[in-house]
Amino acid sequence: MKTALCVSAVLGVLLTCSIQDVAPAPAGTIIFQCCERFKATPIPHNRLANYRNTIGCSTPAIIFTNKRNMTICTKASEEWVKTAVRYLERRRKN
């Protein structure tokens, strides 16, 4: 996974943004995670714990976290990914 390191100015206006592998972010930065590789095969829903959307990446992605706390990049446009997100959303409501 690559991380985009973006330095922001006052009121959240973005000044510079570069994609790189970075250590913990210094104060005053916004971190975006982008995926380079994507899992193509479905993940059983009962193994998923959470998900988050990527922001500002060239390929829209969903990053799942499984119950072992591992992150898995997937393409947001895939049907099985949409189904898994709906499953997690339903589970959050209950």
Side-chain angles (χ1 to χ4, degrees), residues 4 19 33-36 38 54-61:
I19 296 178
Q33 286 187 324
C34 295
C35 299
E36 294 177 328
F38 302 93
T54 59
I55 300 171
C57 301
S58 60
T59 304

Side-chain angles (χ1 to χ4, degrees), residues 29-94:
T29 60
I30 302 169
I31 299 291
F32 300 100
Q33 286 187 324
C34 295
C35 299
E36 294 177 328
R37 294 185 210 121
F38 302 93
K39 180 157 179 64
T41 56
I43 304 164
H45 295 163
N46 62 347
R47 293 186 182 170
L48 299 174
N50 206 349
Y51 78 94
R52 65 184 181 276
N53 294 305
T54 59
I55 300 171
C57 301
S58 60
T59 304
I62 302 291
I63 301 174
F64 288 108
T65 304
N66 69 10
K67 292 185 177 180
R68 293 182 177 179
N69 207 29
M70 296 170 57
T71 57
I72 305 150
C73 286
T74 60
K75 289 186 179 178
S77 60
E78 300 228 6
E79 203 55 45
W80 72 268
V81 173
K82 294 176 186 177
T83 304
V85 167
R86 284 192 300 270
Y87 168 81
L88 290 171
E89 285 295 322
R90 280 193 309 269
R91 210 170 78 191
R92 278 185 189 166
K93 290 179 183 178
N94 295 331

Side-chain angles (χ1 to χ4, degrees), residues 6-15 28-30:
C6 301
V7 180
S8 63
V10 180
L11 302 175
V13 176
L14 232 44
L15 291 179
T29 60
I30 302 169

